């Protein structure tokens, strides 16, 4: 056994919005992997359209730089808790990690999660306190909180000895002492070479654990992972060892390594490298690719269980098939099961209905990103309200619990605690920064978080940030009553007109504007009462009632409330669905006609099965 001193493998881990991707930008630019005249922009690694729109990293990605003759392989990971499965599947490729912590926010829920993962994998952490250029930074206090976090999570005394750097990723600087002005990011590169151990190389023939997959229309599947031992070259025979114990023989077509944003084809990749290989058409994440001489499987990647589920079904509305390219059961099923190849936190199950599938994920955002991705690909389908996944342990019903941390202004404390008490939340801690800002920590069932984000934004008037992290399972806390009021439901099919919408706005808020096509059972607004109200938004004014006064004709409508996909999923109740197409996101009742809904309600009251 020996070491490759010309390589360092590091993962960059942190809570969401603590500056991981911006730091990677600085590392790439200052390592001169780009041409001097090359325009690369900002957030270089977040090249996915959804990542740029939402401002978060969704998928883990690989890149590499060269510094003083040493290749530093970098794994950029998501910071949002809903995508923590991405961290779990790629962190095993690294020997060390950069733990970024915001100089104002300090350690957050996901910081604790990713540090625990790093310790379990035996990674050597380097703490980077980022955003020290902010006027309200509190570096000393954040460092004390970080030390407390290490004391809580460390399994041995060696893990308590960590190096600290102070950085401004936005300005591209890092220093070892706060009193020293920063000029570039060189101290970070030097600390990586000093502190991150070089990869340990085992003797023996080729062996690699697949931690990531990519796809190319010409090359096919691309398996990415760290080579644990041996070396691999084009045309080498290999064996792919699957989860079911199968061993399928292949021949390697091409071998690549990373540098900057590019994959470079190489004649050979050796142990310690993070490599990408082609020629394996049935490979999956977690499989081991090994030499036929010694086909030994590495331990498979362990991923935490999902906590939220919802159904995906074929679109059954009267507008089905009008706006999407893929709308059949077969197409929907193939797409969902294909997602399982790369999205390890996801689970998909068939249901009693051949047109409906049960999909489980880490959280609402995790599932919403899948829905939005499929919508942009041209799929048309309908989804139900998310529900927390329960399980029975020793005859007792258990439900998932989460830690909810809210940063807001102190004037919003009353309304937030009132909202959360109805959602079975318990206040665990509260702190005040002395400048009007507060941090509230709650323990809350996962079911209490579903639909809360919209109420939170309204209650804090946008002056708040909420973060969650999964804690574990606890005994069932009881049923929770929905606090949402009734909706306005279209009673006729047609095109919405100003006169009909004006009548609807006399009953509540509307979600549609004139010229919008509607069908019976489509949700077109929200009313203040507890019951739903059927209303005809396609109703036109009778011509016999038209008066000469122009003021009587000119009707001014209140602008409609436009719900995003995430807001629509949060908004619906158990008897409603979200219809998703490439062009529209509509809300609808499961039972479209009022007769069906009244019959169902009558049967439910009499205790009969609908």
């Amino acid at each position: 056994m020996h070491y490759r001193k010309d390589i360092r493998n590091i993962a960059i881990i942190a809570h969401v919005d603590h500056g991981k991707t911006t730091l990677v930008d600085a590392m790439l630019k200052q390592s001169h992997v780009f041409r001097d005249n090359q325009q690369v922009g900002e957030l270089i690694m977040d090249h996915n359209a959804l990542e740029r729109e939402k401002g978060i990293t969704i998928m883990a990605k690989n890149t590499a730089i060269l510094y003083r003759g040493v290749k530093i392989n970098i794994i950029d990971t998501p910071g949002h808790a809903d995508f923590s499965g991405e961290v779990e599947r790629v962190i095993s490729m690294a020997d060390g990690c950069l733990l970024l912590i915001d100089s104002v926010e300090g350690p957050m829920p996901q910081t604790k999660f990713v540090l625990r993962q790093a310790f379990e994998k035996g990674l050597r952490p380097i703490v980077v306190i980022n955003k020290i250029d902010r006027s309200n930074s509190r570096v000393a206090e954040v460092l004390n909180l970080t030390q407390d976090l290490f004391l809580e999570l460390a399994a041995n005394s060696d893990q308590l000895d960590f190096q600290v750097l102070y950085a401004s990723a936005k300005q591209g600087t890092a220093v070892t002492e706060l009193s020293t002005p920063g000029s570039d990011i060189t101290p970070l590169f030097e600390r990586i070479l000093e502190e991150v151990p070089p990869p340990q190389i085992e003797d023996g023939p080729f062996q690699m654990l697949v931690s990531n997959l990519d796809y190319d229309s010409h090359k096919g599947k691309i398996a990415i992972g760290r080579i644990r031992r041996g070396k691999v070259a084009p045309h080498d025979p290999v064996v792919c060892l699957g989860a079911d114990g199968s061993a399928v023989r292949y021949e390697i077509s091409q071998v690549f390594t990373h540098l900057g944003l590019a994959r470079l084809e190489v004649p050979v990749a050796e142990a310690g490298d993070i490599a990408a290989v082609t020629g394996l058409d049935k490979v999956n994440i977690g499989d081991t690719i090994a030499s036929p001489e010694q086909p030994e499987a590495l331990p498979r990647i362990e991923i935490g269980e999902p906590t939220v589920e919802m159904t995906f079904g074929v679109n059954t509305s009267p507008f089905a098939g009008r706006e999407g390219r893929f709308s059949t059961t077969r197409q929907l099923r193939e797409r969902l099961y294909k997602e399982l190849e790369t999205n390890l936190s996801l689970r998909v199950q068939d249901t009693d209905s051949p047109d409906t599938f049960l999909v489980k994920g880490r959280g609402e955002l995790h599932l919403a990103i899948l829905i939005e991705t499929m919508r942009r690909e041209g799929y048309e389908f309908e989804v139900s309200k998310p529900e927390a996944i329960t399980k029975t342990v020793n005859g007792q019903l258990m439900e998932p619990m989460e830690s909810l941390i809210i940063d807001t202004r102190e004037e919003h404390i009353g309304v937030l605690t009132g909202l959360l008490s109805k959602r079975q939340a318990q206040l665990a801690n509260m702190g005040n920064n002395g400048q009007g800002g507060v941090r509230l920590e709650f323990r809350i069932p996962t079911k209490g978080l579903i639909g809360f984000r919209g109420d939170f934004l309204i209650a804090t008037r946008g002056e708040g940030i909420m973060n969650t992290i999964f804690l574990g399972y606890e005994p069932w806390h009881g049923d929770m009553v929905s606090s949402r009021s009734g909706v306005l439901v279209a009673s006729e099919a047609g095109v919405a007109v100003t006169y009909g919408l004006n009548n609807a706005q006399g009953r509540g808020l509307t979600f549609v504007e004139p010229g919008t096509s509607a069908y019976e059972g489509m949700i077109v607004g929200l009313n203040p009462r507890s019951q739903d109200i059927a209303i005809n938004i396609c109703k036109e004014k009778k011509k016999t009632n038209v008066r000469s006064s122009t003021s009587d004709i000119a009707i001014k409508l209140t602008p409609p409330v436009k719900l995003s996909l995430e807001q629509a999923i949060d908004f619906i109740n158990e008897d409603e669905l979200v219809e998703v197409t490439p062009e529209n996101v509509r809300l609808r009742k499961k039972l479209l006609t009022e007769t069906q809904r009244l019959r169902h309600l009558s049967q439910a009251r009499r205790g009969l099965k609908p």
Side-chain angles (χ1 to χ4, degrees):
M1 189 172 290
H2 57 284
Y3 295 89
R4 277 194 66 180
K5 302 215 175 151
D6 62 333
I7 285 182
R8 299 291 188 275
N9 296 320
I10 63 165
I12 299 187
I13 58 178
H15 187 80
V16 65
D17 200 32
H18 279 202
K20 298 178 303 303
T21 306
T22 306
L23 183 66
V24 175
D25 282 1
M27 296 174 74
L28 288 169
K29 291 174 180 177
Q30 295 189 29
S31 62
H32 306 294
V33 296
F34 304 119
R35 301 187 311 273
D36 291 339
N37 64 343
Q38 188 172 351
Q39 299 295 320
V40 292
E42 305 296 329
L43 303 178
I44 302 168
M45 296 297 288
D46 285 351
H47 45 72
N48 180 290
L50 270 176
E51 290 179 319
R52 286 190 171 273
E53 287 176 22
K54 297 189 176 296
I56 59 173
T57 300
I58 296 172
M59 302 292 293
K61 307 173 191 69
N62 297 87
T63 186
I65 60 173
L66 291 173
Y67 179 74
R68 284 177 37 192
V70 177
K71 184 176 185 180
I72 302 175
N73 287 309
I74 301 169
I75 307 159
D76 185 19
T77 64
H80 198 286
D82 281 20
F83 307 106
S84 51
E86 293 288 304
V87 181
E88 293 170 320
R89 72 177 174 83
V90 299
I91 203 169
S92 60
M93 291 193 285
D95 299 298
C97 64
L98 299 181
L99 177 66
L100 263 70
I101 302 176
D102 190 295
S103 66
V104 177
E105 294 184 354
M108 295 291 281
Q110 186 73 354
T111 312
K112 185 174 182 179
F113 171 82
V114 294
L115 182 59
R116 183 186 288 117
Q117 291 288 317
F119 281 160
E120 289 176 357
K121 295 294 188 294
L123 304 190
R124 177 79 173 169
I126 299 172
V127 172
V128 180
I129 297 180
N130 193 26
K131 304 185 183 181
I132 59 171
D133 54 311
R134 294 178 64 175
S135 59
N136 57 343
S137 63
R138 48 191 188 110
V139 177
E141 186 178 347
V142 166
L143 181 56
N144 288 334
L145 292 171
T146 304
Q147 291 169 336
D148 292 343
L149 182 62
F150 272 72
L151 281 169
E152 179 184 348
L153 299 179
N156 56 66
S157 57
D158 291 340
Q159 292 174 335
L160 296 175
D161 182 21
F162 59 91
Q163 297 294 317
V164 181
L165 287 166
Y166 308 94
S168 169
K170 190 174 182 180
Q171 296 178 353
T173 61
V175 294
T176 54
E177 299 290 340
L178 271 176
S179 56
T180 307
S183 57
D184 56 27
I185 213 161
T186 300
L188 178 61
F189 291 146
E190 293 290 343
R191 195 54 55 89
I192 289 171
L193 297 191
E194 294 169 8
E195 295 297 324
V196 177
Q200 197 175 58
I201 308 303
E202 296 181 29
D203 296 323
F206 173 66
Q207 185 186 48
M208 181 180 95
L209 180 68
V210 179
S211 299
N212 205 353
L213 286 179
D214 202 351
Y215 183 81
D216 184 273
S217 56
H218 299 291
K219 301 179 181 69
K221 271 190 179 180
I222 302 173
I224 303 168
R226 175 174 164 179
I227 302 176
R228 294 292 170 179
R229 70 184 186 204
K231 58 185 179 180
V232 63
H235 308 299
D236 281 357
V238 294
V239 174
C240 182
L241 306 171
D244 57 357
S246 61
V248 183
R249 287 181 174 263
Y250 293 102
E251 180 180 299
I252 298 295
S253 297
Q254 294 170 293
V255 180
F256 301 88
T257 57
H258 298 86
L259 186 62
L261 301 183
R263 282 200 189 106
L264 303 179
E265 188 170 0
V266 294
V268 63
E270 301 182 8
D273 280 324
I274 293 178
V277 298
T278 64
L280 297 83
D281 60 345
K282 295 289 179 69
V283 67
N284 293 305
I285 292 175
D287 291 352
T288 299
I289 306 172
S291 168
E293 300 173 17
Q294 197 172 332
E296 298 173 344
L298 289 162
R300 294 190 71 83
I301 299 169
E302 295 182 4
I303 300 292
E305 291 298 311
T307 57
V308 174
E309 64 184 15
M310 64 195 305
T311 61
F312 284 50
V314 173
N315 189 9
T316 57
S317 85
F319 292 169
R322 292 186 185 182
E323 300 171 358
R325 291 189 294 131
F326 310 110
S327 56
T328 66
T329 302
R330 178 185 59 81
Q331 290 167 334
L332 180 62
R333 188 179 195 280
E334 286 179 356
R335 178 62 182 83
L336 288 173
Y337 278 93
K338 185 176 184 295
E339 184 70 18
L340 297 179
E341 295 178 3
T342 55
N343 199 336
L344 295 194
S345 300
L346 201 72
R347 304 285 187 274
V348 178
Q349 296 176 7
D350 293 336
T351 64
D352 295 337
S353 169
D355 298 330
T356 306
F357 306 92
L358 185 64
V359 182
K360 303 179 181 181
R362 281 287 179 91
E364 286 179 273
L365 184 60
H366 184 205
L367 296 174
I369 290 294
L370 171 61
I371 294 168
E372 180 64 24
T373 302
M374 291 174 60
R375 186 179 79 86
R376 296 186 182 198
E377 291 172 357
Y379 285 84
E380 179 180 315
F381 53 99
E382 59 191 26
V383 298
S384 69
K385 182 180 179 63
E387 296 179 359
I389 299 173
T390 59
K391 60 183 181 181
T392 303
V393 179
N394 298 325
Q396 187 172 25
L397 184 64
M398 310 288 283
E399 67 174 334
M401 295 290 295
E402 305 202 31
S403 172
L404 169 65
I405 294 184
I406 292 174
D407 290 288
T408 187
R409 306 294 299 173
E410 56 187 13
E411 57 262 30
H412 305 311
I413 294 176
V415 65
L416 285 173
T417 51
L419 283 172
L420 287 166
S421 64
K422 297 176 183 177
R423 294 172 174 269
Q424 302 178 348
Q426 298 176 339
L427 183 63
N429 197 9
M430 182 171 68
N432 193 309
N433 64 5
Q435 299 175 351
V438 292
R439 173 169 291 180
L440 308 171
E441 297 183 25
F442 294 88
R443 289 178 60 87
I444 183 171
T446 299
K447 68 174 184 283
L449 284 171
I450 295 172
F452 173 66
R453 191 174 296 274
D455 293 341
F456 170 75
L457 292 173
I458 294 170
T460 60
R461 301 184 184 94
E463 296 181 318
I465 300 172
M466 58 175 280
N467 293 285
T468 61
I469 195 74
F470 175 66
L471 293 176
Y473 279 82
E474 290 186 2
W476 178 255
H477 286 236
D479 293 328
M480 196 174 67
V481 179
S482 173
S483 59
R484 200 203 73 184
S485 57
V487 292
L488 301 177
V489 185
S491 60
E492 302 285 342
V495 177
V497 296
T498 302
Y499 184 76
L501 286 172
N502 187 52
N503 290 336
Q505 290 191 348
R507 302 291 188 92
L509 299 172
T510 54
F511 297 158
V512 298
E513 57 192 4
T516 303
S517 297
Y519 53 81
E520 184 181 4
M522 180 172 151
I523 297 172
V524 295
L526 179 69
N527 80 76
R529 299 183 179 182
S530 58
Q531 297 86 13
D532 298 335
I533 298 174
I535 194 160
N536 184 7
I537 61 170
C538 308
K539 182 179 180 182
E540 296 184 359
K541 191 172 185 180
K542 297 294 184 182
K543 291 182 180 180
T544 55
N545 288 339
V546 176
R547 310 233 178 114
S548 59
S549 173
T550 55
S551 62
D552 189 50
I553 299 172
I555 299 173
K556 293 183 179 180
L557 294 176
T558 303
V561 176
K562 295 290 187 180
L563 298 180
S564 66
L565 175 62
E566 290 90 342
Q567 289 171 331
I569 293 170
D570 281 347
F571 178 82
I572 59 173
N573 275 337
E574 288 78 5
D575 63 336
E576 297 162 357
L577 297 169
V578 178
E579 178 188 352
V580 182
T581 77
E583 297 180 16
N584 290 289
V585 174
R586 302 185 183 94
L587 307 179
R588 53 160 288 188
K589 289 290 184 179
K590 286 183 179 179
L591 302 175
L592 293 178
T593 69
E594 189 172 13
T595 303
Q596 290 175 321
R597 295 193 295 273
L598 290 173
R599 184 184 298 123
H600 181 274
L601 181 61
S602 175
Q603 291 174 337
R605 284 173 176 169
R606 289 184 290 162
L608 300 176
K609 186 176 180 180

